[in-house]
Amino acid sequence: MDIQSKIFVAGHRGLVGSAILRQLQARGYTNLITADRKQLDLTRQQAVEDFFTQQQPEVVVLAAAKVGGILANRDFKADFIVENLLIQTHVIAAAHRIGVKKLLFLGSSCIYPKLCPQPMKEEYLLTGLLEPTNDAYAVAKIAGIKMCQSYNEQHGTNYLSAMPTNLYGPGDNFDLNSSHVLPAMLRKFHEAKLAGNQPVILWGSGTPKREFLFVEDMAEACLFLLEKVQAGDAPGDLYNLGTGVDLSINDLAQLVQKTVGHRGDILWDRDKPDGTPRKLQEVSRLKGLGWQASTSLEDGLAQTYQWYLNQLD
């Protein structure tokens, strides 16, 4: 991939895609292709085929996906599996048909079994049962990984899959009905602070442990994969993207509370699900090639909260 490569970033308005687009622009890539949902519906096969035929991208970053938190994943399973399977199938197949030189598929750490050994290595994929609350989404993402592997094995393509851990940062979704845990916490603590430091009620017990990766670090990792890594450099062409460090949801809540400046109580609704007990990624595969995350959770939270405040203003 060189500076003049024609690069299509699918999902450029989402948290992941927008960060990757910013990184590409910052590094001087100018031949960038984007299309929002009104311009291109990736769930429509003919629309995708026509777009690839017309645009002829050389590199594809597949960051487009239907995503959401534990509530959305639990309540809208059919939507999550169908939309993600359609998007992946159409884009990957069209990329192969026109001869795309390199493709990067973005997934999620939820692909690993619910009771996966910790930290989770890439080779633990498909070794156990998935977490029931997001199994539909996970199955779709696993299918995307297998699509990329299969094209590489059968056709000698250069398709890589990257599985970020829990992401957060500027551009995140703060809708309480569909957001992930960290932005939901930020909003809840902020609104409780404005209401006179009212108590904040959070789901579950607070005991599950999670790993969080700042979205700008994730984008740097993606460019590292695009610029320096080829298919065949790792088994299955699969890479975990994370920090290798986790903390409990309770500890996260206290850190978010401190960042926001909320001084009320934290209450736990134990009737709500916890999800997977622990999800810590083993990140030595990518670290061994020369990349590791650099932003601390404290710094990333401060930047994310400031971005959220700016949007409110």
Side-chain angles (χ1 to χ4, degrees):
M1 191 170 83
D2 60 50
I3 211 71
Q4 295 300 322
S5 294
K6 195 172 188 180
I7 305 169
F8 173 42
V9 181
H12 74 287
R13 288 192 167 179
L15 175 66
V16 173
S18 62
I20 294 172
L21 190 64
R22 286 193 298 272
Q23 282 287 332
L24 287 165
Q25 292 168 334
R27 297 195 188 192
Y29 291 93
T30 57
N31 201 0
L32 305 175
I33 312 167
T34 60
D36 62 27
R37 190 169 299 178
K38 292 181 179 179
Q39 297 169 310
L40 175 62
D41 184 350
L42 296 174
T43 67
R44 302 294 180 183
Q45 182 180 16
Q46 192 59 56
V48 176
E49 291 287 340
D50 293 344
F51 180 84
F52 272 72
T53 298
Q54 178 184 7
Q55 296 292 338
Q56 293 290 311
E58 300 170 75
V59 178
V60 172
V61 179
L62 182 42
K66 181 174 179 62
V67 299
I70 189 171
L71 178 63
N73 270 279
R74 184 195 67 185
D75 293 346
F76 302 102
K77 288 192 172 189
D79 296 346
F80 275 86
I81 193 167
V82 170
E83 290 189 32
N84 284 300
L85 284 173
L86 289 173
I87 290 169
Q88 297 159 195
T89 302
H90 297 161
V91 171
I92 295 171
H96 173 251
R97 182 180 60 81
I98 70 159
V100 162
K101 296 178 180 178
K102 192 163 195 177
L103 182 144
L104 178 62
F105 170 68
L106 275 296
S108 165
S109 60
C110 72
I111 62 167
Y112 294 111
K114 176 178 181 176
L115 301 179
C116 190
Q118 303 291 317
M120 301 181 296
K121 298 180 180 181
E122 288 91 343
E123 52 263 39
Y124 294 161
L125 181 66
L126 294 175
T127 59
L129 296 175
L130 299 167
E131 160 60 37
T133 56
N134 61 13
D135 56 358
Y137 176 74
V139 166
K141 288 300 176 181
I142 292 169
I145 295 168
K146 289 302 178 182
M147 287 181 205
C148 292
Q149 291 178 355
S150 298
Y151 273 103
N152 289 346
E153 292 174 10
Q154 183 175 340
H155 299 290
T157 50
N158 191 12
Y159 299 169
L160 305 178
S161 297
M163 299 298 117
T165 189
N166 299 283
L167 297 172
Y168 71 99
D172 215 335
N173 170 26
F174 290 85
D175 184 326
L176 295 180
N177 290 320
S178 60
S179 62
H180 291 99
V181 58
L182 191 150
M185 276 191 187
L186 273 173
R187 177 172 175 176
K188 285 185 175 183
F189 278 109
H190 175 74
E191 292 180 350
K193 173 186 174 182
L194 295 183
N197 289 308
Q198 291 292 314
V200 170
I201 301 175
L202 301 174
W203 276 29
S205 64
T207 58
K209 303 188 77 173
R210 294 291 183 268
E211 173 187 17
F212 296 92
L213 179 65
F214 191 51
V215 71
E216 300 299 333
D217 285 357
M218 178 280 309
E220 288 183 2
C222 289
L223 260 70
F224 180 88
L225 288 168
L226 288 169
E227 293 175 339
K228 301 182 183 300
V229 180
Q230 302 298 313
D233 287 350
D237 301 313
L238 175 62
Y239 296 88
N240 286 339
L241 304 187
T243 63
V245 178
D246 62 0
L247 77 167
S248 72
I249 296 299
N250 180 61
D251 288 342
L252 174 68
Q254 295 184 42
L255 187 56
V256 172
Q257 183 183 44
K258 179 181 177 181
T259 300
V260 172
H262 172 266
R263 293 182 174 82
D265 293 329
I266 301 175
L267 307 177
W268 296 94
D269 183 355
R270 295 176 181 269
D271 291 332
K272 297 295 192 299
D274 271 334
T276 304
R278 191 183 189 194
K279 287 202 304 182
L280 175 64
Q281 294 206 91
E282 212 282 343
V283 295
S284 62
R285 179 172 290 182
L286 193 53
K287 187 176 180 180
L289 294 175
W291 183 87
Q292 62 182 350
S294 59
T295 305
S296 69
L297 183 55
E298 291 81 1
D299 288 345
L301 270 174
Q303 293 183 54
T304 305
Y305 184 49
Q306 186 57 56
W307 182 89
Y308 175 64
L309 293 177
N310 292 342
Q311 303 314 299
L312 295 179
D313 291 341

